Amino acid sequence: MLRAVGFGDGDFGKPIIGIANGYSTITPCNIGLDDLARRAEQAARVAGAMPQMFGTITVSDGISMGTEGMKYSLVSREVIADAIETACNGESMDGVLAVGGCDKNMPGAMIAMARMNIPAIFVYGGTIKPGKLGGCDLTVVSAFEAVGQFTAGTIDAERLLAVEKNACPGAGSCGGMFTANTMSSAIEAMGLSLPYSSTMAAEDPEKADSAARSAEVLVEAIAKNICPLDLITREAFENAIAVIMAVGGSTNAVLHLLAIARTAGVPLCIDDFETIRQKVPVICDLKPSGRYVATDLHRAGGIPQVMKLLLDAGLLHGDCRTIEDKTLKEVLADVPSVPPADQDVIHPLAKPLYAKGHLAILKGNLAAEGAVAKISGVKTPVITGPARVFESEETCLAAILDKQIQPGDVVVIRNEGPVGGPGMREMLSPTSAIVGQGLLDKVALITDGRFSGGSYGLVVGHVAPEAAVGGTIGLVHEGDSITVDAHQLLVQLNVDEAELGRRRAAWVKPEPRYRTGVLGKYARLVSSSSLGAVTDQE
């Protein structure tokens, strides 16, 4: 059968490399991946391997956002991991090169790599270039925020249409330090992709060149038997978290790194993020809350420049190895110890944007297992107000657009967790509508769902335990007093224990929204978000 797909007499002694190709026309994040996969395939063959191409799926978060389809987004991470594991192990491949673009492609591939533990490398499809309108950079989040601005009457229909038309100008993943660029940066920091590759633009020639070089490096790694579990150690995870804090990355990184670590057998818990946050400042001025996009970061020196600053400050483990069989210290040896003077994307550690990291772990009676919030730059870090309770994203969004949310409110969106959703949808539509209506610093929002990497403000996600399994968020009544305190890392329902006991005794588990199919299966298998929302737990 191998002869039928192109093997000749001299090929059977060569390593077989699986190329997990996430190409699709579903999303701009993945539309350019086939070209990268073909370049990698060609380079692997020239380097002496036998590449075998196979496909993996994707879900476009930006397109499915705010719809029932978004419930499949986090689920796709597991499907991607299962597909890569099945193809590679089913065909006894000697290594794998995964090419991915949209958010779940990266953690899905990493979970598969950790499971199989065969030599592996990740090729990121690259970031989209910013859209332009009136001299301003636009991202996909600009379109969501424009909807809120339009309903608030601050822009007209013509401006809304102009933003929508210009927000996404071509191929590549969302341009800010949203989830895709956050996870590509984390993988580079962990040594499973090439230096500088995580911030390259999808449409630039260097991205295809990097894909070809990645294939060559993988062939070398197979010869040396360098495997993922040799690289993704506890120290490597700490490096990834430090980089994510420094660049102002997505809250989803918490969920995904916990899942990858669990698969790799590395002890990592949600509280470790808080420990590292206390030590690592935010030094990159990137969207969604900052000014710049990933292509600006790339021109300023990319992730290697960020890592060099952290390494010099003793905030990275320089002895961690990479897929190139180098230590991180060796990889960064020629990177300048100060960022370029002609840019202000990357700040020196002595003059950070924020003295501590931005991804905080909040706890309290509403989140005994923890919740995740971006707290850097929040102008109103403490809000105590009445709960406005919604059982789904759609009902909440309708209330926001109908101007039913008032300054001082604490918006609660529940039954959107891993089990209850199922699938833990991202609440970009409600958070963007809040920003667009001018309520950014005037309300808080908590949910057992997730947030897009493009969300910002006093928003708290991943609340665990979730409502569908009996978490306290499911016991909140309309009008209850809730405190969200970014200083004390607290998310608290201000109701006495006796009353909570009565509510808990009366609580009835909601009926599953899906009983069959992918979502039904996922809801039965998935763990708490505080454990990474994994489906292959023991």
Side-chain angles (χ1 to χ4, degrees):
M1 294 189 77
L2 289 174
R3 290 188 186 277
V5 298
F7 278 64
D9 288 343
D11 295 329
F12 291 97
K14 298 176 182 178
I16 297 176
I17 290 176
I19 298 183
N21 183 0
Y23 164 74
S24 77
T25 59
I26 292 173
T27 168
C29 316
N30 292 52
I31 198 168
L33 299 190
D34 198 49
D35 292 338
L36 303 183
R38 297 296 173 187
R39 279 290 303 274
E41 179 186 41
Q42 180 184 30
R45 201 178 300 277
V46 170
M50 290 302 291
Q52 302 293 292
M53 186 91 68
F54 63 91
T56 64
I57 65 128
T58 198
V59 170
S60 172
D61 291 2
I63 295 171
S64 64
M65 194 73 70
T67 73
E68 194 74 358
M70 187 62 193
K71 293 182 177 180
Y72 289 86
S73 171
L74 186 58
V75 177
S76 74
R77 183 189 75 181
E78 311 308 301
V79 177
I80 292 165
D82 291 349
I84 295 174
E85 177 194 0
T86 300
C88 290
N89 281 352
E91 302 303 323
S92 302
M93 294 178 183
D94 299 298
V96 63
L97 181 149
V99 188
C102 201
D103 294 4
K104 309 313 171 297
N105 296 186
M106 282 73 76
M110 288 288 287
I111 289 170
M113 291 172 183
R115 287 180 189 171
M116 299 181 299
N117 200 34
I118 58 176
I121 195 166
F122 185 80
V123 174
Y124 180 42
T127 184
I128 196 171
K129 293 182 178 180
K132 299 287 185 179
L133 185 63
C136 297
D137 284 349
L138 300 179
T139 70
V140 65
V141 175
S142 305
F144 284 89
E145 292 179 358
V147 172
Q149 292 164 351
F150 175 71
T151 61
T154 57
I155 64 171
D156 59 18
E158 183 179 0
R159 175 71 181 187
L160 173 61
L161 182 60
V163 172
E164 180 267 313
K165 284 184 174 182
N166 290 279
C168 296
S173 298
C174 297
M177 190 48 69
F178 309 151
T179 303
N181 286 323
T182 298
M183 291 311 300
S184 69
S185 299
I187 294 172
E188 182 177 329
M190 297 175 82
L192 273 168
S193 63
L194 296 187
Y196 300 99
S197 65
S198 67
T199 52
M200 292 175 178
E203 297 178 323
D204 286 351
E206 66 176 344
K207 174 46 67 177
D209 294 340
S210 177
R213 177 58 187 153
S214 296
E216 296 167 355
V217 168
L218 178 59
V219 174
E220 295 166 4
I222 292 171
K224 297 176 181 178
N225 196 33
I226 302 172
C227 296
L229 297 187
D230 299 327
L231 308 180
I232 51 174
T233 60
R234 164 73 189 208
E235 291 74 21
F237 277 99
E238 291 181 355
N239 285 349
I241 296 169
V243 167
I244 289 164
M245 294 295 178
V247 300
S250 167
T251 54
N252 284 308
V254 178
L255 195 73
H256 297 324
L257 289 178
L258 287 172
I260 298 164
R262 183 253 165 225
T263 302
V266 172
L268 188 75
C269 71
I270 195 169
D271 294 328
D272 292 322
F273 289 82
E274 183 59 35
T275 300
I276 295 172
R277 184 184 81 83
Q278 295 291 334
K279 297 185 292 185
V280 180
V282 179
I283 59 172
C284 295
D285 190 5
L286 297 167
K287 290 180 183 294
S289 57
R291 293 179 292 167
Y292 297 104
V293 294
T295 50
D296 298 317
L297 174 60
H298 189 63
R299 285 190 290 270
I303 296 303
Q305 181 65 80
V306 175
M307 288 197 293
K308 184 58 175 280
L309 301 183
L310 297 176
L311 180 68
D312 288 350
L315 296 172
L316 284 188
H317 302 284
D319 293 332
C320 287
R321 294 173 62 206
T322 72
I323 191 64
E324 296 181 283
D325 199 23
K326 298 177 181 178
T327 65
L328 197 59
K329 198 177 298 182
E330 290 171 336
V331 170
L332 302 175
D334 295 330
V335 177
S337 290
V338 293
D342 60 349
Q343 58 82 45
D344 58 355
V345 184
I346 306 173
H347 290 215
L349 263 74
K351 296 181 179 179
L353 275 83
Y354 306 104
K356 294 182 180 179
H358 64 303
L359 294 183
I361 306 303
L362 277 61
K363 292 190 175 181
N365 67 357
L366 270 171
E369 294 177 11
V372 184
K374 278 185 184 177
I375 64 171
S376 58
V378 174
K379 294 180 181 178
T380 310
V382 182
I383 290 179
T384 294
R388 301 300 312 281
V389 181
F390 302 95
E391 305 297 340
S392 70
E393 176 185 8
E394 289 88 350
T395 55
C396 177
L397 179 61
I400 297 169
L401 295 180
D402 195 38
K403 302 180 181 178
Q404 295 177 25
I405 303 303
Q406 303 300 317
D409 285 347
V410 178
V411 177
V412 178
I413 308 176
R414 65 189 180 195
N415 291 305
E416 290 285 5
V419 175
M424 213 177 176
R425 287 192 289 182
E426 294 180 346
M427 303 293 124
L428 180 59
S429 295
T431 60
S432 296
I434 285 171
V435 172
Q437 293 207 348
L439 295 171
L440 171 63
D441 299 310
K442 299 173 183 177
V443 302
L445 187 152
I446 68 171
T447 180
D448 50 11
R450 297 183 295 133
F451 292 116
S452 162
S455 294
Y456 57 104
L458 193 60
V459 294
V460 182
H462 308 195
V463 169
E466 62 173 292
V469 300
T472 304
I473 190 173
L475 307 180
V476 179
H477 288 182
E478 182 79 9
D480 282 347
S481 172
I482 291 178
T483 296
V484 180
D485 188 333
H487 290 318
Q488 297 188 54
L489 306 179
L490 180 69
V491 55
Q492 183 81 15
L493 177 60
N494 301 313
V495 172
D496 65 58
E497 283 301 317
E499 173 60 19
L500 282 180
R502 285 189 289 270
R503 294 184 188 182
R504 191 167 283 112
W507 178 79
V508 177
K509 184 177 178 64
E511 288 293 316
R513 287 171 167 159
Y514 290 83
R515 294 184 179 275
T516 59
V518 172
L519 294 181
K521 184 190 306 182
Y522 182 86
R524 289 191 296 274
L525 294 175
V526 70
S527 75
S528 169
S529 59
S530 65
L531 301 175
V534 295
T535 58
D536 60 347
Q537 58 189 325
E538 295 179 359

